[in-house]
Amino acid sequence: MSDIHYPQNADLRSLLRFCSEKGLIWLDESRMILMHAAALSELRKELINSLGIDQARRILTRMGYAAGARDAELARKIRGDHSLQDAFVVGPQLHMLEGMVHVTPFKLDFDKDASHFYGDFLWENSVEAEVHVREFGHAEHPVCWMQIGYASGYTSAFMGRFILFKETECMATGRNRCRIVGKPVEEWPDAADYTPYYEADSIVSRMLELRSEVDALRATLERRLPPPSLIGSSAGFRHAYTLIDKAAVTQVTVLLLGETGVGKERFARALHEMSPRAGGPFVAINCAALPHDLIESELFGVERGAFTGAQVSRMGKFERADGGTLFLDEVGELPLAAQAKLLRVLQEGEIERLGDDRTRKINVRLVAATNVDLHAAVKAGRFRSDLFYRLNVYPVVIPPLRERVADIPLLVEAMLKRFGALHGKRLAGVTDKALRALKGHAWPGNIRELENTIERGVILAPQDEWIEVDHLFAGPQDFEASQEGINDAGSLSAADAKDTTDTLCNQVIAAGMGLDGFEQALIQHAVKEAKGNLSGAARLLGITRPQLNYRLKKKEASV
Ligand SMILES: [Zn+2]
């Protein structure tokens, strides 16, 4: 046996949190599940019977590999400042904590620059060997495929090169235990017999790929897909998209309604891209961003000499959008004079530049947007009712982000790509916990706020690693209030008990109560809680009635 000893696993145990009221188990920021070994057994049996031994083995190996690679990130994070060996054994220790197998290192020899690795481990209580034997009886060859995948995935991620583990003995073949040996893949002369189990490419996945290609083609034939600028699949999104899609082929004036930041300009652009005008210009203008006295010249253009400072003739947005689409954002902010002119343009299809008496024919599709209640603005006399009816022919409500939570993963993925490229960051993604926090946030600022949050995460997360909750939100997130962890004895206990004790002690000391003072206060409180019943009070305090009597007398004596 080797002289390798495991460090205490309290640091790893503390990563495991049970939020039973929310139906969640966390290992640090990864979502975990407690699965019946019987369910794993059923899965293995189904895989073997339907796909054959080789495919079943490949799937389970890859499943284990993914888990191991995830756990290797914790090794860096939790024991990055420990010895290399203590950091490495996070893998075996987590494999045990996760209930897969008992691992005893037999020989472990490796160096930091990853040029060398040799690991020899003994396995007992292998769950895979156990369920395999129960289902199929003794096997001719080793069967701990998922676990071997885990060891290879963990070690490869830890070392930064492919370390292939082989099971040299297996309990399922009638041995007392399993044994695994791992070294760099190049050092195994028969590596080619094993590596196919780690590869995604296979007949099955090729078949599935072909089928999804067929499905995608069929879907494209049935309906047009949204342009890539529009992302979503939630019911609220699809409803808005369908309305846009139907309007695109017509000339109808579209009014986009929705809160600030819901992405109205994206929808307007998508409408343009899907319309027969796609080859023409798309021009956007935000009416709230311009000073009132400039709006008219911006929209309709200006002729030289129209007013002081107008030294050259200039086209307005309407002329620029000729043959295409003009997007008027925050249309509710237009001053009344500009509203009158806009109405005339819409009615007559021609514009007149400021300081010009010529009219010019224009062919523009108008898309307007607002986040204010135009009805109310009409009533208050801030918005012309005739213009309102002209714009409100085809209103489309863009739902706020909190009503399209199902779209958040898709949106986040697209934003990660965009900001990753922008900031030169390669990231593994967002952790399960971070994604959950993103889904639980209220997003008053909608898509724009989500974009800012993801950009912040991309900037803060270390290269090649995961974006965690702390990278996204400043300040503590209380979205998982009650949690339990695993204590030394292996049972669940409130994870924040230690914190509560710390707080309480600090308060007692800060109050200057002293030990005796605190003891008496606690006793009086217990007596009161027990409504004067001393036996009841003793029970609350976890002491006997005579012990309580003694303490009460001690107090009387000191008075
Ligand atoms: Zn085995």
Side-chain angles (χ1 to χ4, degrees), residues 123 126 128-129 142-145 147 167 169-173 177-180:
W123 276 355
S126 156
E128 271 185 298
V143 301
C144 301
W145 304 321
Q147 291 164 203
E167 200 176 1
E169 293 171 27
C170 184
M171 219 172 72
T173 64
R177 49 167 166 66
C178 310
R179 181 169 186 172
I180 63 167

Side-chain angles (χ1 to χ4, degrees), residues 1 52 71 73 96 110 123 138 146 156 214 236 308 352 355 443 465 497 501:
M1 283 291 159
D71 281 355
E73 285 152 19
M96 291 195 279
F110 65 121
W123 276 355
H138 277 118
M146 197 170 72
S156 299
V214 171
T308 339
E352 210 170 284
W443 302 113
E465 291 186 20
T501 312

Side-chain angles (χ1 to χ4, degrees), residues 317-451:
K317 299 286 185 188
F318 266 99
E319 276 177 82
R320 284 179 205 278
D322 197 20
T325 307
L326 177 65
F327 175 55
L328 274 186
D329 202 359
E330 313 269 14
V331 73
E333 303 298 320
L334 269 187
L336 283 164
Q339 290 178 25
K341 280 201 173 146
L342 175 60
L343 180 66
R344 209 162 48 241
V345 171
L346 293 178
Q347 282 166 340
E348 282 153 30
E350 51 188 33
I351 56 139
E352 210 170 284
R353 289 182 183 177
L354 261 67
D356 197 1
D357 44 19
R358 270 187 305 160
T359 55
R360 297 162 202 255
K361 274 271 166 224
I362 45 138
N363 170 16
V364 167
R365 199 283 174 70
L366 186 72
V367 179
T370 179
N371 58 10
V372 299
D373 181 356
L374 286 184
H375 263 297
V378 168
K379 268 193 193 141
R382 276 181 282 110
F383 205 81
R384 294 179 64 110
S385 64
D386 44 7
L387 179 60
F388 171 69
Y389 291 115
R390 190 96 202 174
L391 294 178
N392 196 35
V393 184
Y394 195 89
V396 177
V397 178
I398 314 294
L401 188 53
R402 64 182 172 280
E403 286 174 19
R404 28 183 309 215
V405 172
D407 292 336
I408 288 181
L410 291 170
L411 290 164
V412 167
E413 199 187 351
M415 289 174 190
L416 281 183
K417 269 199 201 122
R418 184 149 53 90
F419 291 123
L422 183 64
H423 297 290
K425 268 278 178 69
R426 221 181 22 243
L427 293 166
V430 294
T431 65
D432 300 338
K433 200 170 209 170
L435 188 59
R436 194 175 146 71
L438 290 168
K439 285 181 173 176
H441 190 72
W443 302 113
N446 292 297
I447 305 268
R448 201 169 302 148
E449 186 188 359
L450 178 65
E451 276 178 329

Side-chain angles (χ1 to χ4, degrees), residues 54 57-59 61-62 65 141-145 148-149 152 162-169 179 181 183-185 187-200:
D54 270 0
R57 175 174 171 185
R58 191 187 61 82
I59 290 167
T61 305
R62 287 176 55 80
Y65 192 95
H141 302 287
V143 301
C144 301
W145 304 321
I148 266 294
S152 301
F162 189 11
I163 307 291
L164 179 71
F165 270 85
K166 259 206 248 180
E167 200 176 1
T168 56
E169 293 171 27
R179 181 169 186 172
V181 173
K183 45 190 184 180
V185 66
E187 293 176 26
W188 290 104
D190 56 351
D193 296 341
Y194 294 86
T195 49
Y197 297 111
Y198 292 86
E199 285 159 13

